[in-house]
């Protein structure tokens, strides 16, 4: 899997976790991993989506 695909996967996983209202601590990426902030952005978008639904 290429770098771009990894980032897309991370954002999608984050969105799903946010929609399911899981705690942000479930992020599977360690500190310092470039996918972590991408996952968190997805998580934030998913939470916002869940809050408006």
């Amino acid at each position: 899997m290429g770098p771009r695909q990894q980032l897309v996967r991370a954002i999608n996983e984050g969105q799903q976790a946010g929609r399911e209202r899981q705690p942000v601590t479930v992020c599977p990426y360690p500190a310092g991993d470039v996918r972590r902030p991408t996952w968190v952005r997805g998580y934030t978008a998913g939470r916002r989506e869940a809050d408006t639904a």
Side-chain angles (χ1 to χ4, degrees):
M1 186 180 310
R4 183 178 174 101
Q5 292 170 323
Q6 290 178 2
L7 294 176
V8 169
R9 183 175 180 186
I11 201 163
N12 289 336
E13 290 173 346
Q15 284 178 329
Q16 186 63 35
R19 282 188 215 109
E20 294 173 358
R21 298 180 182 270
Q22 296 179 11
V24 74
T25 56
V26 301
C27 179
Y29 305 107
D33 190 317
V34 296
R35 295 170 292 180
R36 186 176 183 92
T38 304
W39 186 93
V40 172
R41 271 181 271 174
Y43 179 87
T44 302
R47 282 300 297 254
R48 287 183 183 154
E49 185 179 308
D51 289 343
T52 60

